[in-house]
Amino acid sequence: MKKIHVIHENSEWTVHLTKRLQELGLPYEEWHLDEGSVDLTAEPPTGVFYSRMSASSHTRDHRYAPELTSAVLNWLESHGRKVFNGTSALRLEVSKVAQYLALTGHGIRTPRTIATVGKEQLLKAAKAFEGQSFITKHNRAGKGLGVQLFHSLQGLESYVNGPTFDEPVDGITLIQEYISAPQPFITRCEFVGGKFVYAVQVDTSEGFELCPADACQIGDLFCPVGEEVPTKPKFQIVKDFQDPIIEKYESFLAANGIQVAGIEFIRNLAGEIFTYDINTNTNYNSDAEAAAGIYGMLEVAKFLGRELASVEEAEKVEA
């Protein structure tokens, strides 16, 4: 029987999709690629394939999961299988350098960024941002982890030469201009089947941990006994969000073979949009979705179901 094959390395992030597939009665199989092998001379199974490989896999001790996934995706594509978020999507997922160059080439503005390898080169490159705030981030990261904000070269030097310096897994540290927003939030636009589903506003006042997955959420902050402190939700879906950037994003995703993604941007004080991240292993926040009545994983499951049906129909016609 033809199936939907879900390629991933983190069951905690995938269970929300498999639950939806079960609800819709769709046949599926998980391929957990933290380790394994692929026989390049074998014929792949039939069906459709959806990759949810994450750039942050190394933080879960799955250091080479993206490399194995790349081998598997190349194998599937070489046999003409229908793959969603395939090799081109994975290439962008694991490299912000690749993301920024691809976005810029498509006419989408990104923050000024310098890629460096080595602490000495990192400090040297930072001089280009002297007198202004800037951030460092890993080229292969995910979840906003490793992002640090600096207001001076001295602050960066103390960090780089101190015990808390976080070495990037691929050796590449990025230095990027800090975009000052009028309010402390960023916007993340979600796409399924290459089409816009919704935009979510993410509160950044507590830092750069921007992963929307329920598994990434921090627990309630300490509150004295008997007191309740009302808090604004960190993730809020924006009702009827509209902006010309959506059309650009959809065109970009189509040009790069990406079907499911979350794209994040920030506006500066002048209202100009700077796009700084593409997440092809997109997750959704259940509280925000429940409040808005929109469910990203349900849309993904429906999309995969339609695509599986189209493969089955095409084979009937050929037969």
Side-chain angles (χ1 to χ4, degrees):
M1 182 176 64
K2 294 176 179 59
K3 299 177 183 177
I4 296 165
H5 299 82
V6 182
I7 297 169
H8 69 97
E9 54 77 38
N10 185 6
S11 298
E12 201 166 10
W13 285 354
T14 306
V15 65
H16 303 292
L17 173 58
T18 56
K19 283 181 179 178
R20 293 298 188 180
L21 294 172
Q22 291 169 15
E23 287 175 11
L24 297 176
L26 295 169
Y28 73 90
E29 181 178 329
E30 292 184 57
W31 286 10
H32 195 292
L33 298 187
D34 58 326
E35 58 181 31
S37 63
V38 53
D39 184 350
L40 302 183
T41 62
E43 182 84 10
T46 56
V48 299
F49 301 80
Y50 169 44
S51 174
R52 289 183 51 76
M53 186 48 54
S54 171
S56 64
S57 65
H58 60 281
T59 67
R60 292 175 289 279
D61 295 324
H62 300 159
R63 168 61 186 85
Y64 297 109
E67 285 77 11
L68 174 58
T69 298
S70 178
V72 170
L73 295 178
N74 274 285
W75 173 60
L76 293 170
E77 291 174 355
S78 72
H79 284 272
R81 296 297 185 263
K82 184 170 278 192
V83 180
F84 300 108
N85 284 17
T87 53
S88 57
L90 181 61
R91 182 180 68 86
L92 297 187
E93 172 70 16
V94 299
S95 173
K96 284 185 166 50
V97 168
Q99 286 185 22
Y100 296 146
L101 293 174
L103 286 164
T104 301
H106 210 79
I108 298 172
R109 191 174 186 180
T110 63
R112 184 190 178 190
T113 305
I114 301 176
T116 71
V117 173
K119 292 183 177 181
E120 184 179 339
Q121 292 300 316
L122 174 58
L123 293 171
K124 182 179 178 181
K127 293 179 181 178
F129 298 93
E130 190 166 9
Q132 63 183 101
S133 297
F134 58 90
I135 63 175
T136 58
K137 59 173 64 174
H138 293 178
N139 180 54
R140 181 188 290 197
K143 302 191 296 184
L145 296 174
V147 177
Q148 300 283 339
L149 171 63
F150 299 95
H151 301 292
S152 69
L153 298 181
Q154 292 75 19
L156 175 64
E157 186 172 1
S158 296
Y159 168 66
V160 169
N161 294 322
T164 61
F165 178 68
D166 192 8
E167 289 279 2
V169 70
D170 65 354
I172 301 176
T173 298
L174 307 180
I175 306 180
Q176 190 172 88
E177 66 173 314
Y178 174 67
I179 306 300
S180 180
Q183 294 181 348
F185 68 81
I186 61 94
T187 302
R188 179 181 174 110
C189 300
E190 300 292 355
F191 299 84
V192 176
K195 299 300 180 183
F196 177 67
V197 178
Y198 66 70
V200 60
Q201 190 179 100
V202 185
D203 183 355
T204 60
S205 59
E206 293 179 353
F208 297 101
E209 175 83 24
L210 307 180
C211 170
D214 298 334
C216 295
Q217 302 309 297
I218 14 181
D220 295 335
L221 297 176
F222 172 76
C223 183
V225 177
E227 294 185 19
E228 292 186 3
V229 181
T231 57
K232 178 183 177 183
K234 186 170 183 177
F235 299 88
Q236 289 183 297
I237 291 177
V238 182
K239 185 178 179 181
D240 300 324
F241 179 85
Q242 293 182 340
D243 192 279
I245 196 66
I246 295 301
E247 187 175 347
K248 283 190 175 183
Y249 286 163
E250 290 182 344
S251 174
F252 172 83
L253 294 175
N256 287 275
I258 302 171
Q259 291 77 35
V260 181
I263 304 181
E264 295 176 4
F265 73 78
I266 188 169
R267 294 183 191 270
N268 65 8
L269 296 173
E272 299 168 314
I273 285 178
F274 291 79
T275 302
Y276 65 88
D277 188 45
I278 305 166
N279 193 323
T280 64
N281 176 38
T282 192
N283 289 299
Y284 310 99
N285 182 263
S286 61
D287 290 339
E289 290 196 329
I294 308 173
Y295 302 95
M297 281 302 186
L298 178 59
E299 295 306 314
V300 173
K302 288 179 179 178
F303 166 71
L304 293 173
R306 291 193 298 268
E307 293 298 332
L308 181 63
S310 71
V311 168
E312 293 173 336
E313 186 61 32
E315 292 194 2
K316 288 179 183 178
V317 172
E318 290 177 5

